[in-house]
Amino acid sequence: MLARSRRVKGIVTRLPVSSGIVNRYVPGEATAQAVEATRELVDAGLHVTLDFLGEDTLDEAQAEATVAAYVDLLEQLSEAGLSRNAEASVKLSAIGQALPDIGPKLAIENARRICRAARHAGTTVTLDMEDHTTTDLTLAALRELRKDFPETGAVVQAYLYRTEQDCRALAHEGSRVRLCKGAYNEPEEVAYQDRHDVDKSYVRCLKVLMAGEGYPMVATHDPRLVKIASALATRHGRMPGTYEFQMLYGIRGEEQTRLAELGEKVRVYVPYGDEWYGYLMRRLAERPSNLTFFLRSLVSQK
Ligand SMILES: Cc1cc2nc3c(=O)[nH]c(=O)nc-3n(C[C@H](O)[C@H](O)[C@H](O)COP(=O)(O)OP(=O)(O)OC[C@H]3O[C@@H](n4cnc5c(N)ncnc54)[C@H](O)[C@@H]3O)c2cc1C
């Protein structure tokens, strides 16, 4: 509701990204700031995946600008000597998937250009997963891209009923799969509504991925799920580096370094760019205490 209010959007988007509310989750709008944040994380023993913020574009020029931003980012990461430890996360809706008629094909072509730039830089791309109306399209795009770029990562969302089945299909050799709970407001026709049911689904999916031949990327801040993932990795004889943990920039930073110090591979998802509104709203919606903090800061800024 908050995210859809025009008034709130008007007030919030006038905030500078440097305000504490925004840059807790987004290190900056410029590529240079994203590269700088990457360097700090890599120096702290972490890996990174970068998301140039933007989604749901219906404008071909905007999609093209997003592709150019990723290509530029990958070049800059490579020049900075960071591309071995940093990859790119891409939303297909940001590169044209929702455009009428040509969308799905255009998004694959655009993603292919980003994959090519990533390979040139010596790194990979992961396709973020968006709302359930795009799941089939995104998995179809993944299959297409993997023909030329088998290293391309997938994302699945434990809140969808279908996901355990999708995990079975994706748990094959060389397949990088990020498992998250899911961040969109989904109806009960397609998704578990109770968070305990989502957690149970997450564990079932984890079991499939850890037992499989692929490369599980365990994306959660939930301490119980992190423990269960470690135990499952041990049970299946997986060494750190044959799977990884992933968390968002600005969330449980101490846990990120604690896991890395234990020898785990940990990757931080770093969003950047000026289209931070939708991303910020999803993060705030995840925790009522964040929302209180946010509303208080908003009042004190006015
Ligand atoms: C690397 C990564 C990539 C992701 N990619 C996608 C994607 O492609 N598609 C998609 O739909 N979703 C994606 N997500 C988001 C995900 O689906 C969840 O919405 C989000 O991670 C919160 O779920 P959780 O597993 O952390 O568990 P939760 O039950 O939400 O949280 C567990 C605990 O983590 C901490 N925590 C969680 N969120 C916050 C927060 N915002 N602020 C402060 N503390 C918090 C709290 O301590 C909380 O008790 C991604 C998440 C990560 C970590």
Side-chain angles (χ1 to χ4, degrees):
M1 231 173 73
L2 193 68
R4 279 194 224 105
S5 157
R6 284 228 187 117
R7 226 175 128 229
V8 173
K9 184 167 182 179
I11 297 168
V12 177
T13 48
R14 279 199 296 275
L15 293 173
V17 74
S18 58
S19 75
I21 313 166
V22 185
N23 82 358
R24 170 173 174 191
Y25 296 111
V26 180
E29 294 184 346
T31 310
Q33 289 168 306
V35 173
E36 190 46 43
T38 302
R39 184 180 299 288
E40 281 171 23
L41 292 163
V42 169
D43 286 348
L46 299 160
H47 291 70
V48 173
T49 182
L50 287 129
D51 167 26
F52 178 69
L53 290 165
E55 51 201 282
D56 294 337
T57 191
L58 288 173
D59 176 354
E60 214 171 321
Q62 175 71 33
E64 183 60 32
T66 299
V67 176
Y70 272 109
V71 171
D72 178 42
L73 169 74
L74 288 158
E75 277 168 14
Q76 291 201 35
L77 288 172
S78 175
E79 278 164 22
L82 293 167
S83 49
R84 230 172 55 85
N85 296 307
E87 59 138 47
S89 281
V90 176
K91 284 187 176 51
L92 291 180
S93 77
I95 54 172
Q97 191 184 49
L99 278 154
D101 305 324
I102 58 165
K105 202 157 165 257
L106 178 70
I108 293 174
E109 278 319 303
N110 283 339
R112 211 188 288 282
R113 290 161 61 200
I114 301 172
C115 288
R116 211 172 288 131
R119 182 175 283 173
H120 192 69
T123 187
T124 51
V125 170
T126 294
L127 296 185
D128 280 355
M129 190 56 88
E130 303 180 64
D131 74 79
H132 80 276
T133 61
T134 63
T135 310
D136 281 326
L137 270 179
T138 302
L139 291 177
L142 177 84
R143 282 192 296 276
E144 198 51 39
L145 289 167
R146 280 185 171 178
K147 288 180 188 162
D148 294 322
F149 304 96
E151 64 276 24
T152 307
V155 178
V156 287
Q157 299 152 317
Y159 62 19
L160 295 184
Y161 304 137
R162 60 176 287 167
T163 295
E164 190 180 346
Q165 202 48 42
D166 286 335
C167 286
R168 289 186 205 289
L170 287 164
H172 56 81
E173 200 181 333
S175 171
R176 298 190 312 118
V177 185
R178 174 195 302 159
L179 174 64
C180 63
K181 288 190 187 180
Y184 297 80
N185 217 343
E186 298 288 15
E188 65 181 346
E189 290 72 35
V190 297
Y192 297 107
Q193 305 294 309
D194 183 308
R195 64 188 175 84
H196 298 294
D197 289 333
V198 177
D199 291 356
K200 282 192 245 167
S201 167
Y202 196 104
V203 174
R204 288 195 301 275
C205 294
L206 255 184
K207 285 182 175 164
V208 173
L209 295 176
M210 286 289 185
E213 301 287 316
Y215 181 80
M217 304 188 278
V218 183
T220 183
H221 312 94
D222 190 327
R224 274 186 55 224
L225 293 177
V226 168
K227 262 199 196 138
I228 292 171
S230 296
L232 283 169
T234 308
R235 186 190 300 167
H236 290 288
R238 282 182 176 268
M239 300 300 286
T242 64
Y243 64 94
E244 67 184 43
F245 288 105
Q246 297 191 343
M247 294 189 191
L248 302 176
Y249 182 81
I251 303 182
R252 303 201 71 209
E254 284 176 17
E255 176 68 356
Q256 296 170 10
T257 28
R258 186 191 72 85
L259 287 169
E261 279 164 13
L262 284 176
E264 295 288 1
K265 185 164 177 181
V266 181
R267 191 177 298 277
V268 183
Y269 185 105
V270 177
Y272 74 100
D274 54 11
E275 291 288 322
W276 42 259
Y277 183 75
Y279 177 86
L280 178 70
M281 287 297 131
R282 281 198 293 280
R283 299 294 76 80
L284 293 174
E286 270 156 12
R287 287 197 95 192
S289 59
N290 285 349
L291 205 56
T292 317
F293 163 76
F294 169 71
L295 292 171
R296 239 189 249 131
S297 328
L298 213 54
V299 171
S300 65
Q301 300 248 342
K302 284 178 73 190

